[in-house]
Amino acid sequence: PGAVIHPGVMYGRWCPEKWNGKPVDEKPLFYQGVEEFSENILLGLTGEVQAVRKKMAELIPGLDLKDAVDLKQWYLDCYSGQMTDTSSLRACMNTNPGYRGLTHPCKDADNGKFMPDLKYRYLAEDVPTGMCFNKGLGEILGIPMPTTDKVLAW
C-alpha cells in the first residue's frame, strides 16, 4: 500500500492546488492530517490499482489476488479494532493510533519554518518501485489511470 499511500498523501498536501510553495509554520500530520482532497486522491489511486487487479484476474484464470484489496479494506484488515472510526478511508487513517503524531517529512527552513522533503523515501522509493510499476501494468492492460498520471506528473 505504500506505493499508493505515501505518494498520494504527499501529493494531497504539497501539490500546487493545496500549497503555495512557501515554508509552513509546523510539520503537518501525515496520516492523521488526511483531509477530503487527499482522501479523494487516495481513493482515485486505489481505484485504479483495483481496476488493474480486476483485469489481471479476468486475463489469468485462477490467479489469486484476494490480498490485493483497496486501501480502506487494507486498513480494516491490518488495524482491526484499533481505529475509533472506520466509516471512511480518511477516518481509518485519522483515527489509527499507530500513526498518532507522525508528520510529513520536512526540512528546516528559515525562521523555524519547514519545507517538504520531496526527496524523502515516500517519493524517492515508493514512486519508482511501486507507483511506476502500477502505472506500467495499467498501460499494458489498457487501464486509464488519470490520478496516477496526475501524481506522477507532479
Side-chain angles (χ1 to χ4, degrees):
V4 170
I5 295 170
H6 295 150
V9 173
M10 292 288 286
Y11 178 87
R13 175 60 182 90
W14 305 109
C15 70
E17 299 103 307
K18 297 295 287 181
W19 179 55
N20 63 9
K22 296 180 180 173
V24 295
D25 292 332
E26 57 186 42
K27 296 178 184 180
L29 291 173
F30 194 81
Y31 303 94
Q32 293 178 316
V34 168
E35 37 47 80
E36 183 178 5
F37 180 85
S38 297
E39 179 186 39
N40 286 332
I41 294 296
L42 293 169
L43 290 171
L45 293 171
T46 196
E48 292 166 7
V49 171
Q50 289 305 299
V52 169
R53 180 202 56 78
K54 181 180 177 191
K55 185 69 170 182
M56 292 289 295
E58 290 171 5
L59 293 173
I60 307 170
L63 182 63
D64 182 5
L65 295 174
K66 69 179 180 296
D67 292 331
V69 297
D70 67 34
L71 283 182
K72 183 180 178 204
Q73 187 60 53
W74 181 82
Y75 274 98
L76 294 172
D77 292 347
C78 292
Y79 297 99
S80 178
Q82 298 177 46
M83 300 163 291
T84 57
D85 184 351
T86 59
S87 62
S88 66
L89 173 59
R90 177 180 8 163
C92 288
M93 296 176 82
N94 289 173
T95 67
N96 185 335
Y99 294 156
R100 188 170 294 125
L102 296 178
T103 60
H104 276 262
C106 290
K107 295 180 176 183
D108 292 331
D110 294 332
N111 301 323
K113 294 187 178 217
F114 301 94
M115 290 290 284
D117 184 352
L118 301 178
K119 293 184 179 182
Y120 191 70
R121 69 178 178 85
Y122 288 176
L123 298 177
E125 295 174 12
D126 292 339
V127 169
T129 64
M131 183 170 272
C132 288
F133 179 81
N134 294 343
K135 172 61 179 170
L137 278 177
E139 281 188 12
I140 290 167
L141 298 170
I143 306 290
M145 301 184 81
T147 308
T148 300
D149 292 340
K150 182 188 293 191
V151 175
L152 289 175
W154 169 67

